[in-house]
Amino acid sequence: MNLVKLLPLCVALAGCAPPRPVFRLTPVTALVRAEPRAVNFAPDLNHRLDSIVGVAMSQGAAPGVALAVGRYGRIVHMKAYGNIDNTPDSPPVTDSTMFDMASLTKVVATTTAAMMLEDEGKLNLDLPVSVYIPELNDSAKSKITVRQILTHSGGFEAFATLWRDYKGRAEYLQQINARPLAYNPGDTTIYSDWDFILMGMIVERITGMPLDQFTATRIWQPLGMHDTGFNPLGAVPPDSTCTAAFTRTNPLLNRIAVTEMDTAYRHIKVHGIVHDENACALGGVAGHAGLFSSVRDAALFSQMMLNGGQYNGVQLIQPATVARWTARQSNKSSRALGWDTPNGNSSAGHYFSPRSFGHTGFTGTSIWIDPERGVFVVLLTNRVNPTRANLRHEALRRDIADAVQTSILDAPPIEWRPPPPDVPAH
């Protein structure tokens, strides 16, 4: 019997289904706006997200929120909510409002720089940190590898208030070298800022440039990330405190989200200077914290990662490097290299694929990227305003992540590949 005639009979009698059609999306070189349905999201996704954010803000999650959701190179939701401060006369948040990214610095700045240096053959992950930073010469630390600090398994303690007594890279490095390890390197995983303070210093030693200058010239400028950088109010002298450039009359403050009222260290409302005290004592430029960025820049960065390290004709990182660094490195931990992957208590919620990766920041920021489904979610808040005791943003992160993933329709699959880097921009 003719197979064309047999197919309807098969469907009617045996319950078999014809092959599902595949919808092919046109590659785009840069993010474009689209309706949710265009990339197989439920058409009411925007309403769902508005409702989730509205409820969370009414419960005090943060004075200001900026949210971006994209799929297959299309922005389906980019919206700002609330104000930069918790006073009614403060400027509204926009898609160009700069937020203190806190520990997103570790992945957006430091890890990206490290990936680039590995691609260039200048960084070997299996060499000891002491090869790049000879001052780390304590016998218990001299064999800690770059790979171990990137996966938070180097043995360092989680945190210490060095900012109370020390300032600058030399003093911090001396203290990191002198303080006892919390565990034997490689035995377990403890998230530690010291790992990325060291990683930032490694980038500086290899390149001969301060971390803020290297990332500005090699990452932000080529990608067109105009709202991103360290010390947004102006350059700070090396190893001085981050308050050196602060003036209350700086007009740029209207575009920067206010963070916490600092009653312990700087005794001011922190605005336009880094929230993290240790990053402040390092001059506002550190491998673990200090970066400021906007939701539109963070969305661009996220799409670059989904594209395998390229965006708008710029190949920043090799695709194989992106895949390897963002994959879980051990069955003992959720950690990738710099990045994290979903676990039971993750801000990725319950439905991001096992291949997804992301990170959070203490100030209330997060990025989650799912290459299996072509999805990214960027959430920026200033939840520490007025106090870091506020933890209502944690439910907001998970609710948004779950709403995005559960809005993906059971529709014909989409075939999508990122454009090659030589496709001209349009």
Side-chain angles (χ1 to χ4, degrees), residues 338-353:
W339 293 90
D340 201 5
T341 64
N343 60 61
N345 298 313
S346 173
S347 63
H350 303 90
Y351 305 107
F352 266 80
S353 78

Side-chain angles (χ1 to χ4, degrees), residues 36-192:
R37 193 62 182 263
V39 287
N40 282 358
F41 278 124
D44 67 343
L45 174 61
N46 293 321
H47 174 73
R48 294 190 205 181
L49 296 175
D50 287 343
S51 178
I52 291 168
V53 174
V55 169
M57 292 185 70
S58 71
Q59 295 173 348
V65 172
L67 173 63
V69 177
R71 193 177 195 203
Y72 302 133
R74 276 75 174 166
I75 287 279
V76 299
H77 189 94
M78 182 178 286
K79 193 167 180 180
Y81 309 81
N83 300 82
I84 66 167
D85 200 0
N86 57 2
T87 56
D89 59 340
S90 61
V93 175
T94 71
D95 64 3
S96 63
T97 296
M98 290 176 278
F99 286 79
D100 184 326
M101 302 292 272
S103 283
L104 284 185
T105 305
K106 294 179 172 75
V107 290
V108 177
T110 312
T111 298
T112 304
M115 285 193 279
M116 295 169 67
L117 293 176
E118 190 198 42
D119 276 345
E120 295 169 5
K122 298 175 181 176
L123 176 67
N124 186 327
L125 303 191
D126 295 312
L127 286 179
V129 174
S130 57
V131 169
Y132 302 100
I133 306 178
E135 298 94 321
L136 195 74
N137 56 18
D138 175 64
S139 59
K141 305 179 184 72
S142 61
K143 294 185 179 179
I144 296 171
T145 67
V146 176
R147 188 180 302 276
Q148 286 173 327
I149 65 171
L150 284 167
T151 55
H152 294 287
S153 59
F156 292 103
E157 62 190 314
F159 177 80
T161 56
L162 297 187
W163 51 269
R164 294 187 184 277
D165 301 301
Y166 304 99
K167 182 177 72 175
R169 279 155 172 70
E171 292 185 10
Y172 264 64
L173 185 52
Q174 189 277 329
Q175 286 300 308
I176 292 172
N177 190 51
R179 298 173 71 87
L181 291 175
Y183 57 94
N184 292 326
D187 280 0
T188 188
T189 300
I190 293 179
Y191 181 82
S192 171

Side-chain angles (χ1 to χ4, degrees), residues 82-418:
N83 300 82
I84 66 167
D85 200 0
N86 57 2
T87 56
D89 59 340
S90 61
V93 175
T94 71
D95 64 3
S96 63
T97 296
M98 290 176 278
F99 286 79
D100 184 326
M101 302 292 272
S103 283
L104 284 185
T105 305
K106 294 179 172 75
V107 290
V108 177
T110 312
T111 298
T112 304
M115 285 193 279
M116 295 169 67
L117 293 176
E118 190 198 42
D119 276 345
E120 295 169 5
K122 298 175 181 176
L123 176 67
N124 186 327
L125 303 191
D126 295 312
L127 286 179
V129 174
S130 57
V131 169
Y132 302 100
I133 306 178
E135 298 94 321
L136 195 74
N137 56 18
D138 175 64
S139 59
K141 305 179 184 72
S142 61
K143 294 185 179 179
I144 296 171
T145 67
V146 176
R147 188 180 302 276
Q148 286 173 327
I149 65 171
L150 284 167
T151 55
H152 294 287
S153 59
F156 292 103
E157 62 190 314
F159 177 80
T161 56
L162 297 187
W163 51 269
R164 294 187 184 277
D165 301 301
Y166 304 99
K167 182 177 72 175
R169 279 155 172 70
E171 292 185 10
Y172 264 64
L173 185 52
Q174 189 277 329
Q175 286 300 308
I176 292 172
N177 190 51
R179 298 173 71 87
L181 291 175
Y183 57 94
N184 292 326
D187 280 0
T188 188
T189 300
I190 293 179
Y191 181 82
S192 171
D193 282 346
W194 310 142
D195 292 317
F196 274 78
I197 288 176
L198 291 172
M199 192 67 243
M201 291 181 182
I202 290 172
V203 171
E204 293 179 333
R205 298 292 177 92
I206 291 173
T207 63
M209 298 173 66
L211 183 64
D212 58 337
Q213 291 182 21
F214 179 81
T215 52
T217 57
R218 293 291 306 278
I219 305 175
W220 323 138
Q221 291 172 16
L223 291 178
M225 295 173 65
H226 304 298
D227 303 327
T228 303
F230 295 84
N231 287 327
L233 299 183
V236 171
D239 291 338
S240 63
T241 60
C242 66
T243 58
F246 177 75
T247 58
R248 296 185 185 278
T249 57
N250 192 317
L252 194 60
L253 290 173
N254 288 328
R255 285 190 53 215
I256 302 174
V258 181
T259 54
E260 190 174 24
M261 180 63 209
D262 183 353
T263 59
Y265 181 29
R266 291 154 290 191
H267 303 285
I268 59 172
K269 180 178 279 191
V270 178
H271 189 189
I273 58 177
V274 62
H275 176 263
D276 181 274
E277 294 92 347
N278 283 311
C280 183
L282 289 166
V285 181
H288 73 295
L291 190 68
F292 286 73
S293 190
S294 67
V295 73
R296 65 183 184 186
D297 274 9
L300 184 160
F301 175 87
S302 301
Q303 189 61 48
M304 180 274 294
M305 295 295 290
L306 276 174
N307 286 353
Q310 68 100 352
Y311 185 83
N312 208 16
V314 175
Q315 189 76 50
L316 204 68
I317 313 162
Q318 292 304 307
T321 304
V322 173
R324 181 164 43 83
W325 280 61
T326 58
R328 185 175 294 200
Q329 299 294 298
S330 166
N331 58 11
K332 298 178 182 179
S333 165
S334 63
R335 292 288 162 185
L337 292 167
W339 293 90
D340 201 5
T341 64
N343 60 61
N345 298 313
S346 173
S347 63
H350 303 90
Y351 305 107
F352 266 80
S353 78
R355 186 61 194 86
S356 63
F357 56 95
H359 209 281
T360 62
F362 186 78
T363 50
T365 58
S366 64
I367 292 175
W368 279 99
I369 300 169
D370 191 341
E372 192 171 297
R373 296 169 183 162
V375 171
F376 69 77
V377 178
V378 175
L379 175 66
L380 306 182
T381 81
N382 53 344
R383 68 94 188 171
V384 292
N385 182 348
T387 169
R388 66 185 64 191
N390 177 22
L391 299 177
R392 296 180 181 91
H393 71 296
E394 293 180 354
L396 173 62
R397 284 172 171 166
R398 291 189 294 269
D399 289 348
I400 287 173
D402 286 352
V404 169
Q405 292 287 14
T406 57
S407 291
I408 295 176
L409 298 171
D410 182 22
I414 288 178
E415 181 181 284
W416 174 83
R417 296 288 184 275

